[in-house]
Amino acid sequence: MTTEPPRRRILTLKSGIAPKTAEELFGKKRAPAKAAPPPPPPAPSFGWKCKPCGKGFDPPAEGPDDEVVRCPNCNARVGIAGDFRADPPPARLRARSVKKPG
Ligand SMILES: [Zn+2]
Protein backbone atom coordinates (compact mmCIF):
# COMPACT_ATOMS: atom_id res chain seq x y z
CA MET A 1 0.00 0.00 0.00
CA THR A 2 1.44 3.18 -1.06
CA THR A 3 0.65 6.42 0.56
CA GLU A 4 0.55 9.32 -1.73
CA PRO A 5 0.47 12.85 -0.52
CA PRO A 6 -2.90 14.40 -1.13
CA ARG A 7 -2.94 16.19 -4.34
CA ARG A 8 -3.91 19.71 -4.27
CA ARG A 9 -6.54 20.61 -6.66
CA ILE A 10 -5.61 23.62 -8.56
CA LEU A 11 -8.56 25.84 -8.93
CA THR A 12 -8.67 27.24 -12.34
CA LEU A 13 -10.89 29.98 -13.46
CA LYS A 14 -12.96 28.97 -16.37
CA SER A 15 -12.28 31.20 -19.17
CA GLY A 16 -14.93 32.63 -21.32
CA ILE A 17 -17.03 34.20 -18.57
CA ALA A 18 -17.24 37.85 -19.08
CA PRO A 19 -16.82 39.84 -15.92
CA LYS A 20 -20.08 41.24 -14.76
CA THR A 21 -20.51 44.87 -14.87
CA ALA A 22 -21.73 46.81 -11.91
CA GLU A 23 -24.90 47.38 -13.82
CA GLU A 24 -25.56 43.68 -14.07
CA LEU A 25 -24.65 43.06 -10.48
CA PHE A 26 -26.94 45.68 -9.08
CA GLY A 27 -29.75 45.27 -11.53
CA LYS A 28 -30.05 48.78 -12.65
CA LYS A 29 -28.07 51.84 -13.11
CA ARG A 30 -27.69 53.86 -10.07
CA ALA A 31 -28.29 57.49 -10.23
CA PRO A 32 -25.15 59.45 -9.71
CA ALA A 33 -24.84 60.09 -6.06
CA LYS A 34 -25.69 63.59 -5.16
CA ALA A 35 -23.18 65.43 -3.15
CA ALA A 36 -24.39 64.83 0.32
CA PRO A 37 -24.52 67.91 2.43
CA PRO A 38 -21.83 67.89 5.04
CA PRO A 39 -23.06 66.93 8.46
CA PRO A 40 -23.79 69.89 10.64
CA PRO A 41 -20.95 70.72 12.92
CA PRO A 42 -21.51 69.78 16.52
CA ALA A 43 -23.10 72.54 18.46
CA PRO A 44 -20.55 74.40 20.47
CA SER A 45 -20.92 73.44 24.05
CA PHE A 46 -20.00 76.69 25.61
CA GLY A 47 -21.03 77.09 29.15
CA TRP A 48 -21.09 80.86 29.05
CA LYS A 49 -21.82 83.70 26.73
CA CYS A 50 -20.03 86.96 26.71
CA LYS A 51 -22.49 89.75 27.39
CA PRO A 52 -20.65 92.44 25.42
CA CYS A 53 -20.36 90.42 22.23
CA GLY A 54 -22.62 87.46 22.73
CA LYS A 55 -20.04 84.88 21.82
CA GLY A 56 -19.83 81.67 23.73
CA PHE A 57 -16.79 80.72 25.68
CA ASP A 58 -15.71 78.58 28.56
CA PRO A 59 -13.96 79.97 31.58
CA PRO A 60 -10.85 78.13 32.71
CA ALA A 61 -11.76 75.01 34.60
CA GLU A 62 -8.61 75.11 36.61
CA GLY A 63 -6.46 77.79 38.01
CA PRO A 64 -6.62 80.42 40.69
CA ASP A 65 -9.99 81.92 41.49
CA ASP A 66 -8.69 85.40 40.98
CA GLU A 67 -7.54 84.70 37.46
CA VAL A 68 -9.01 87.26 35.15
CA VAL A 69 -11.25 85.71 32.55
CA ARG A 70 -11.41 87.47 29.26
CA CYS A 71 -13.69 86.80 26.37
CA PRO A 72 -11.66 85.05 23.69
CA ASN A 73 -13.65 86.87 21.05
CA CYS A 74 -13.75 90.49 22.10
CA ASN A 75 -11.20 90.32 24.90
CA ALA A 76 -13.58 91.94 27.31
CA ARG A 77 -12.88 91.27 30.92
CA VAL A 78 -15.91 89.25 31.86
CA GLY A 79 -14.96 88.39 35.38
CA ILE A 80 -12.63 86.27 37.41
CA ALA A 81 -12.43 82.53 37.38
CA GLY A 82 -13.83 82.20 40.88
CA ASP A 83 -16.96 84.09 39.88
CA PHE A 84 -17.72 81.50 37.26
CA ARG A 85 -17.49 78.77 39.84
CA ALA A 86 -19.82 80.48 42.25
CA ASP A 87 -23.36 79.26 42.41
CA PRO A 88 -25.23 81.36 41.73
CA PRO A 89 -22.71 83.40 39.80
CA PRO A 90 -22.39 86.96 41.01
CA ALA A 91 -24.15 89.66 39.07
CA ARG A 92 -20.89 91.43 38.32
CA LEU A 93 -20.06 88.81 35.78
CA ARG A 94 -20.21 90.19 32.30
CA ALA A 95 -21.23 86.82 31.01
CA ARG A 96 -24.31 84.75 31.36
CA SER A 97 -24.57 81.07 31.88
CA VAL A 98 -25.81 79.12 28.93
CA LYS A 99 -28.19 76.37 29.70
CA LYS A 100 -26.90 73.31 27.97
CA PRO A 101 -29.62 71.19 26.44
CA GLY A 102 -30.10 67.95 28.21
ZN1 LIG B 1 -16.96 88.95 24.04
Side-chain angles (χ1 to χ4, degrees):
M1 183 172 175
T2 58
T3 57
E4 293 184 7
R7 291 184 182 176
R8 287 184 183 175
R9 283 178 179 241
I10 299 175
L11 295 175
T12 55
L13 291 173
K14 290 180 181 177
S15 60
I17 298 178
K20 287 189 175 182
T21 63
E23 190 174 341
E24 287 172 338
L25 287 172
F26 297 111
K28 60 183 177 181
K29 274 190 177 177
R30 292 191 174 187
K34 291 180 181 177
S45 58
F46 295 118
W48 294 81
K49 268 191 176 180
C50 169
K51 279 183 182 176
C53 74
K55 292 286 185 180
F57 69 97
D58 276 319
E62 296 175 352
D65 280 356
D66 60 352
E67 181 182 342
V68 174
V69 179
R70 289 183 179 276
C71 169
N73 185 62
C74 70
N75 205 35
R77 184 187 185 280
V78 291
I80 60 175
D83 288 348
F84 287 91
R85 294 164 192 156
D87 188 20
R92 65 172 173 270
L93 273 182
R94 296 179 69 197
R96 57 189 170 90
S97 167
V98 178
K99 293 277 180 72
K100 295 182 181 181

